[in-house]
Amino acid sequence: FSMASFSRRLWFFVCLILLPLFALAAFNIYSQYQQAANDLTATGLSIVRAAAQQQQTAVAATEPFLSALAKLPEVRTMDAAGCSALFAQLLKSNPLYVNLGAVDVNGRLFCSGIPSADVVNVNGRVWFRRAMDTGGFAAGEFEIGAVTRKRTINFGYPFSGDDGRMLGVVYASLDIERFSAFAANIKLPPDSTLTILDRQGNVLARYPEPGTWVGRNVKGEPVFRALFGGPLVEGVYEARGLDNVERLYAFTPLDPRAASSPLVAVGFSKQILYQDVSRTAALNLAGLLLITAVVMLIAFYGGRELVMRRVAALQEVDRLKDEFVSLASHQLRTPLTAVRWLNELVASGTAGPLTEMQKQLTEESARSISQLIGLVNELLDIGRLDQGRLQVSAGSADAAELVAETVGEIAPLAVAKFLKIETATSGTPVRVHADPRLVKQIILNLLSNAVKYSPEHGAITVRTSFAPRLVRISVEDRGIGIPAAEQPRIFGRFFRASNVRATQAEGTGLGLALARAFAEAMGGRVGFSSKENTGSTFWLELPAEAS
Ligand code: ADP
């Protein structure tokens, strides 16, 4: 079990749970954007419709108005002074128009609500030509007013004298700048525009900054292409405006019945449009992140707490097991020692002479007893290790001497297997700085393994080499070796390689684990190299005593 991998997995699962939440939030924000855009589109369309409606109403009102003017005596008699005075009066009460006037059949202006110093002729104007040709109400195109010099759309209506002969045309000029006032009145959000464009790409009106834009031709601009690209209908599009601001435009023809009608478009800055949504989105996201952090913290600490509790429970079980092993070993040792003495007593003949058979049997039981005592001792050592009660007395020893003693102790076993044990030393002898009892136990273990796992008639070499700061003892055998795949686990407790379990029933798998623990407790190391069916070399390195 590893805490690190546990937290990794935990984070992963928390993320897995939170991911859909984030997706949901993203979707929510997206639909809010969509909603805002839809709302604004609807607003935009209703504004342009209102603008177009206003224009149509103005045009519709103009026909009866002009028809009434055409019947005025001041017009019919072509009384220039009277007519001009009357028209000036009428302009005041009809703010829809920037000028009212009358021209004769040649297009010469003889009456104008706004006085004109110049001689004005409107012969070429569309509304004039049409009114003359059709003999009825006629609308012109956007033009610069002949008298007012303003952007206007003019309407003409023919008038005649008492004899019914056509004498001229009365006209009214509708001010296109009215749309600016209209836009200002409805209080468009910041960075919004209201634009009227004709089919030739001329800006007829623009709010705000009419001075900068009115009269310009924008045929090449994306806005124009977007507007007039398709059939002339009502619609919405997104484009970069004339002033380089990204906008959402709603547009409609100013006069839906006229194929050549200019368009009126209202544009809302996208930045402004998304500002509110961005704020809510940011709040949403911040909230979600906060939740994420809290959930993660809870998951992490809660999870850890849970695991810790389990770990604590397992640790308790482990402690009880250690305690039991240690107690059981203690309790076993005393009677075992007694059994050994008793067995020795019998074997020595003190209790009476032994037959050859009895001698053999007591020898065998002596071997089993010492094995049992060995096992109990190992278990006791393991117990001491686990409970931190391993006693390491700081001392010093002659390594070569310890090796010689151990070889002596193991000799009977080696002889039984016809094994030759050779010893060799190299370097200038130095004493090891270690607990002699533990060092001997390690050597004994390495050596007894070498004997155990060597075939009969083999050879074992124990080398002691001295370096100024280090003493190295190696035990080399030409035995069964350790399978490569199992080598990494060889120092593990109770681990026995697969090739020895079949052939060697005796063994606990505790010896090497203890050897390593002992060596490390004294500041040393153990290690080995081995090849299956060829042999093994186990070594022990210990610090040399400071000279
Ligand atoms: P035991 O010898 O009681 O099984 P050890 O802890 O001393 O336990 O050794 C663990 C295992 O390491 C052995 O069971 C054996 O598989 C392997 N081993 C140790 N020493 C040798 C050796 N000299 N040659 C081959 N295998 C060895």
Side-chain angles (χ1 to χ4, degrees):
F1 174 81
S2 129
M3 196 70 205
S5 89
F6 166 73
S7 351
R8 243 199 321 276
R9 249 177 274 172
L10 194 73
W11 286 101
F12 176 74
F13 278 116
V14 170
C15 287
L16 215 65
I17 292 165
L18 287 171
L19 216 65
L21 267 180
F22 272 97
L24 210 68
F27 176 74
N28 195 28
I29 290 165
Y30 171 76
S31 38
Q32 273 189 40
Y33 271 106
Q34 214 61 8
Q35 186 59 44
N38 286 347
D39 287 355
L40 218 64
T41 300
T43 311
L45 280 176
S46 61
I47 288 173
V48 290
R49 276 183 208 136
Q53 186 60 50
Q54 208 197 43
Q55 175 70 5
Q56 286 152 35
T57 316
V59 173
T62 303
E63 184 173 354
F65 181 61
L66 282 179
S67 138
L69 292 190
K71 293 188 179 74
L72 291 170
E74 288 86 345
V75 174
R76 299 183 67 171
T77 56
M78 298 180 73
D79 165 11
C83 169
S84 294
L86 183 62
F87 280 12
Q89 196 62 37
L90 282 171
L91 272 181
K92 284 191 193 133
S93 49
N94 288 285
L96 211 57
Y97 307 111
V98 282
N99 198 15
L100 297 169
V103 295
D104 65 16
V105 285
N106 298 315
R108 203 180 50 85
L109 183 84
F110 69 88
C111 160
S112 175
I114 290 174
S116 168
D118 307 325
V119 176
V120 174
N121 195 300
V122 296
N123 206 9
R125 305 290 167 111
V126 174
W127 54 268
F128 174 72
R129 291 251 63 90
R130 282 187 190 153
M132 290 293 291
D133 292 349
T134 61
F137 178 70
E141 284 165 355
F142 280 88
E143 61 186 43
I144 305 287
V147 176
T148 56
R149 300 275 135 215
K150 281 188 171 177
R151 292 204 159 252
T152 58
I153 182 167
N154 288 7
F155 300 89
Y157 201 96
F159 67 91
S160 43
D162 289 338
D163 54 0
R165 210 160 43 87
M166 198 185 286
L167 293 179
V169 174
V170 281
Y171 75 92
S173 303
L174 264 180
D175 183 9
I176 205 123
E177 287 303 318
R178 282 178 306 119
F179 288 105
S180 286
F182 168 79
N185 267 341
I186 55 175
K187 294 204 176 56
L188 293 173
D191 264 347
S192 304
T193 59
L194 187 91
T195 315
I196 296 172
L197 278 174
D198 71 12
R199 306 219 60 140
Q200 284 70 48
N202 297 311
V203 179
L204 302 176
R206 170 116 168 0
Y207 168 86
E209 299 168 7
T212 316
W213 299 105
V214 170
R216 279 217 206 170
N217 192 289
V218 296
K219 209 156 189 157
E221 303 281 342
V223 170
F224 180 80
R225 280 198 298 273
L227 272 171
F228 290 100
L232 196 63
V233 284
E234 195 173 76
V236 181
Y237 67 91
E238 289 179 30
R240 192 172 284 277
L242 302 175
D243 49 4
N244 266 333
V245 175
E246 286 285 349
R247 290 202 177 83
L248 187 76
Y249 288 93
F251 64 95
T252 197
L254 208 48
D255 179 0
R257 287 158 309 174
S260 63
S261 164
L263 286 182
V264 53
V266 64
F268 297 112
S269 154
K270 283 217 264 182
Q271 202 199 328
I272 302 268
L273 154 64
Y274 293 139
Q275 222 165 40
D276 280 352
V277 182
S278 301
R279 203 171 306 130
T280 18
L283 274 173
N284 262 357
L285 223 65
L288 205 60
L289 283 176
L290 199 77
I291 291 172
T292 305
V294 169
V295 168
M296 291 235 174
L297 281 176
I298 289 174
F300 185 67
Y301 285 107
R304 199 163 73 163
E305 182 60 35
L306 232 113
V307 168
M308 281 316 187
R309 236 179 270 164
R310 273 197 67 106
V311 167
L314 289 175
Q315 274 171 342
E316 177 61 12
V317 172
D318 198 45
R319 197 187 59 79
L320 286 173
K321 182 245 340 168
D322 287 348
E323 224 171 68
F324 169 76
V325 169
S326 144
L327 198 80
S329 331
H330 264 293
Q331 297 301 322
L332 281 171
R333 205 156 69 156
T334 322
L336 267 178
T337 321
V339 169
R340 181 162 69 183
W341 280 110
L342 292 173
N343 192 57
E344 271 172 24
L345 224 64
V346 175
S348 66
T350 316
L354 299 173
T355 63
E356 206 45 45
M357 172 88 158
Q358 284 168 332
K359 250 190 211 159
Q360 263 180 24
L361 289 174
T362 47
E363 268 168 31
E364 243 165 71
S365 57
R367 248 203 314 282
S368 294
I369 289 165
S370 57
Q371 244 180 49
L372 211 52
I373 289 176
L375 169 63
V376 167
N377 280 338
E378 279 181 340
L379 286 176
L380 279 171
D381 279 334
I382 288 280
R384 284 193 198 104
L385 257 180
D386 288 342
Q387 291 160 25
R389 289 190 292 107
L390 179 72
Q391 278 167 0
V392 184
S393 43
S396 78
D398 179 334
E401 210 168 83
L402 288 179
V403 168
E405 277 175 30
T406 318
V407 170
E409 280 171 33
I410 216 86
L413 292 177
V415 168
K417 286 182 84 173
F418 312 105
L419 289 167
K420 217 162 74 195
I421 301 181
E422 282 169 2
T423 54
T425 56
S426 62
T428 318
V430 281
R431 291 175 72 80
V432 284
H433 172 74
D435 183 334
R437 188 183 62 88
L438 294 182
V439 178
K440 205 168 145 184
Q441 211 171 317
I442 297 171
I443 302 170
L444 194 64
N445 175 263
L446 300 185
L447 207 51
S448 70
N449 278 348
V451 171
K452 255 198 298 192
Y453 305 121
S454 287
E456 291 187 350
H457 303 287
I460 293 166
T461 311
V462 186
R463 290 194 178 83
T464 310
S465 52
F466 300 100
R469 292 167 172 281
L470 201 76
V471 178
R472 183 185 168 104
I473 300 159
S474 69
V475 180
E476 184 186 330
D477 65 52
R478 271 159 241 149
I480 59 174
I482 301 161
E486 295 172 34
Q487 290 187 3
R489 297 164 63 193
I490 220 69
F491 286 102
R493 283 183 190 182
F494 301 106
F495 185 80
R496 306 195 68 212
S498 54
N499 60 339
V500 307
R501 268 176 271 153
T503 53
Q504 275 283 345
E506 288 168 22
T508 57
L510 283 172
L512 284 179
L514 282 172
R516 173 142 88 177
F518 290 168
E520 283 169 2
M522 296 183 293
R525 297 190 305 157
V526 288
F528 71 99
S529 60
S530 179
K531 201 172 166 210
E532 198 175 3
N533 298 323
T534 305
S536 316
T537 302
F538 277 82
W539 51 261
L540 161 70
E541 274 179 5
L542 288 167
E545 199 178 41
S547 50

